[in-house]
Amino acid sequence: MSGKQGDALCLFINGKRVTEDHADPETMLLPFLRDKLRLTGTKSGCGGGGCGACTVMVSRYQPASKTIAHYSANACLLPLCQLHGAAITTVEGIGSSKTRLHPVQERIAKAHGSQCGFCTPGMVMSMYALLRNKPQPTMEDITQALAGNLCRCTGYRPIVDGCRTFCQEANCCQANGAANCCLNGDEDTNESGHENPRLFDQEKFLPLDPTQELIFPPELILMAEASNPQTLTFHGERMTWVSPTSLEELVQLKTKHPKAPLVMGNTNIGPDIKFKGVLHPLIISPIRVKELFEVSQGPDGVWVGAGCSLSELHSLLEKMVPQHPEEKTELLRALIQQLGYLGSQQIRNVASLGGNIASAYPNSDLNPVLAAGNCRVRVVSGGGRREVPLNQEFFVGFGKTILRPDDVVVSVFIPFSTKGEFVRALRQAPRKEVSFATVTAGMRVRFSEGSRTVQEVSLYFGGMGPTTVSAAKTCQAVTGRPWNEETLNQAYDVLLGELALPLSAPGGKVQFRRSLTLSLLFKFYLDVLQKLRETNVIKDELPEKLQPLPREIQPSLQEFQHVPKDQDDQDPVGRPMMHRSAVSQATGEAVYCDDLPQTDGELFMVLVTSSQAHAKITGLDVSEALRLPGVVDVITANDIPGKRTRAMFGYEQELFAEDEVVCVGQTVCAVLADTKAHAKRGAYAVKITYEDLPDPIFTIEDAIEKSSYFEPRRVVAKGDVTEAFKSVDRVYEGQIRMGGQEHFYMETQSMLVVPVGEETEFKVYVSTQWPTLAQEAVAETLDIQSNRVTCHVKRLGGAFGGKVIMTSVLASITAVAAWKTNRAVRCVLERGEDMLITGGRHPVLGKYKVGFMNDGRIVAVDYHYFANGGCFVDESVLISEKILLHLDNAYNIPNLRGHSAACRTNLPSNTAFRGFGVPQSLLVVENMVNDVAMALGRPADQVREINMYKGPSVTHYKFEFSPENLRRCWEQCKLKSDYDARRKAVAQFNQQSRWKKRGVAIIPIKYGIAFAESFLNQAGALVHIYKDGSVLVAHGGTEMGQGIHTKMQQVASRELHIPTSKVFISETSTSSVPNTCPSAASFGTDANGMAVKEACEILYSRLEPIRRKDPGGSWETWVREAHLQKISLSATGFFSR
């Protein structure tokens, strides 16, 4: 800590006063909540404000309006020092299972909106903040509020289903998911006359009562209204934070410390500090300077305080638009549109207008629009006040403007538009919401009155250079000319030359970005043409008007089977049942690996990874790291007492790179420190020197050229492909490429290894799909027996295949650190580290040669698959095998041949990922079928139907099966969707629509569950019945959101004939069920369910004599009697296939 004494920080958290005497400017609210206050319901997902898992509600008193503002925000970006005088509400503060659930928590849980549950507290808080401001929201409000929250499990539908019950249109059938809406005059077409089964009954939900919410602390109102507020100063280890109270003081500070950044929302400076290691000795926070929040409206426009948040700006502009004629609000409406897509609600709630301008990001959404609209900023410094126009001279470079270091932007002027003036904001991004734009544009044109002649035009682009750029030459070429196609074509030529990007431009996609500038200009041209037509300036015949993409959520209906009428009411199987942990997840009570409390002396570990893809390690210098405060030790390969590698499929993977690195992100060593922050600084201080090795391999093509593969390569064949090609009507060759994919499990790789202290025993708490593999890996690495290592898995915050192989490697490294120091060691990867170190889905190149007849029958196919496996084998060989096992999909092709190879490259190892190679395999297959359909000029669904399996069938790997279910599903889907009519409607729409096109497809799928390696198709279970009648179930599956514990609870309930409330599952532990298999391959529930079933059957049969003797007794009396008769109330179950 700094030796200087700072001020005391005062804030309220969940209604309780919290005072921090040593607030560190580098501390964000998230670690303060989790580590200091043990409020672990607020989760850390990405650390950069992108996922919403850490959403909290911030409440502040506004003295000017004497109102209280509530807004959602990302705790990972909120500096603790910024929150003096604020009230924070976390998920724990709105309700709990011990007291009373808040309606938001209850509805998300009971609507099945929680699976792995890691994102659920953030979802809850985003919705809660919305309801505090608007107790009866619209569906648009709900979708906007949730847009900043990611979920990787549910697909969002059940989350929205739960939240829409608060909607003011909640009684409308469309809001409730009905396909036919009363507002459209549609009637219920349910032919059976029976009500469709529902997943939840919203009539039983707790009502929302705003009077029951936490009140804003009166103490904070008195603090905010204090007549003489004091400047606040907080000193940390490396930074000082100053919060002035007046503009005069702010200018003095900035004059004295011109390099000190101004922090309002911390959405720019915060990520730079966290992810880029930028250090600012002094930070100035002008959040209490009233002049920065003032708004004044005049006849020519409005001055908006630079400190106003983007949400406040959005609300202001929306209020102003109806108050003025349409012709005056062109710029206002363009800004409203752009603000709707800029960041998330949480980001917009804290990011400031002035900060957005001054940060001068090259792909800024707002700056091109502000510049095109002739906005200007009012600046104050020690030299006085001045106004600076936002034009091409304002933005001078990456993150740089014409402003001087001591300038403070006080306000921004947004002018009204004039008659004959049109302003548009345009953007193209990978996603519609919460996504950095690829290219943005602000465009304005003004015409001579009653004319199509351009009097003035302004075109600004983001994403086309190191800063916002003006297409001044293009504007000059258009000015004075009529707004027509000839002018547009000339503008294209000039624009292409003016906005030239080098091929090496940061961000890549150069050709795409250049083409986007033309596309956006064309959209602007068409939109303005329509406006000129609407105002009768021109009489031209125009194509249909461009419409924005629809924002409303389409209605949907989920159908499922009723249980048999004679099924016992107590039997839960087949009935909608809430996830057994849903309430705990919605209240933040559910415990994940990193939520476990710290033990005394616990250390945090941060990995040091390679920055080179293919190089020799010539030096490793850890001396500087060891000198840093808090750093305890650095772990290298020399510290490993047992095996230094993990053997997989005949290949070795090093835990630590010793002599050579084979990818960027390979672990070289690990730094141990008393805190995560100290460990990160220590990792930055480690110096590694390299000598580059020649010819690194990155792409599949590189690997093919150099024959770099993981052996064995696989081939499968059926029939005689070569001969069949000689007898077909047509032959077609094609290929398709599928890129990789990040798992992006919400909970990153997390583990805690605790030495017991005697007999080399270790407890490993880890987020893994395969506890036994982690147990074996740790034992081998430490050179101890597996019985000394107990692996515990409470639950995972998502996995999708990514928490198997690499997790065992990371657990081994963490165990080495715990063994060497004899202290508990925690390793939780940050999102960037996780994405760097771990691989994802295998990119695949698929080539095919297909022979087919003119009637659509496919006679022969020869496939070649190449998967980019990365630098270590991982599960790549198994995935390449799985690809071949599914290359028939649902089609009975008589002559089939497939080749599959896992390419060895200098990239992080790719691994298992939902589908395990099948999505890649089927993409190639279905693309081939589409090509056949296109070649024949026939609808693809007809070609698919012609080639489907029919009658008793055998696959190319000799598996016998009946395709009856496949055919029935196919026919039912076509019938229920009215597919043929939809296809005709699509064709008709596409003929009539110039700008928008529609498509429709129906795809069959045949997917094989369980493992190809038969030894993995086994499971064990252990069931205890206690004397009070309660049941404890342990099994080998891990709970990662799929609800396996809930399903095991249902199985035990049915087999023991007891309510589910009597069945409890605590965790998955290698000490309860040994030698488990991974929860994967869509087989975990089947295998473990059968094991639990067997154990319960054994126990129930043991109670049979007692039940016969006392048929009128209760479950509890039977169990007590069994204990008295010395009957064992514990049983194991086992299943194998």
Side-chain angles (χ1 to χ4, degrees), residues 1038-1117:
T1038 57
E1039 175 59 67
M1040 48 193 160
Q1042 83 280 40
I1044 192 171
H1045 287 349
T1046 309
K1047 297 165 193 172
M1048 299 306 102
Q1049 198 177 21
Q1050 288 176 293
V1051 170
S1053 170
R1054 167 179 275 190
E1055 296 303 323
L1056 296 175
H1057 303 275
I1058 58 175
T1060 55
S1061 58
K1062 288 190 174 295
V1063 182
F1064 181 68
I1065 300 173
S1066 174
E1067 64 173 5
T1068 305
S1069 170
T1070 55
S1071 62
S1072 300
V1073 179
N1075 310 320
T1076 62
C1077 294
S1079 294
S1082 303
F1083 196 58
T1085 295
D1086 297 46
N1088 289 283
M1090 293 300 289
V1092 170
K1093 181 175 183 290
E1094 182 183 81
C1096 290
E1097 286 173 342
I1098 292 169
L1099 290 169
Y1100 199 68
S1101 66
R1102 289 177 186 170
L1103 296 174
E1104 178 65 22
I1106 295 172
R1107 290 200 312 276
R1108 281 203 307 266
K1109 188 181 294 186
D1110 183 16
S1114 66
W1115 167 258
E1116 289 79 6
T1117 59

Side-chain angles (χ1 to χ4, degrees), residues 809-820:
V809 171
L810 295 172
S812 300
I813 294 172
T814 309
V816 172
W819 175 84
K820 183 180 181 183

Side-chain angles (χ1 to χ4, degrees), residues 752-769:
L752 170 65
V753 179
V754 183
V756 172
E758 60 174 315
E759 299 190 59
T760 60
E761 184 183 354
F762 290 83
K763 293 187 181 299
V764 181
Y765 302 89
V766 59
S767 179
T768 180
Q769 295 171 246

Side-chain angles (χ1 to χ4, degrees), residues 567 569-577 1049-1050 1053-1054 1060:
Q567 181 168 319
D569 289 342
Q570 190 174 268
D571 184 351
V573 176
R575 292 191 168 100
M577 181 175 172
Q1049 198 177 21
Q1050 288 176 293
S1053 170
R1054 167 179 275 190
T1060 55

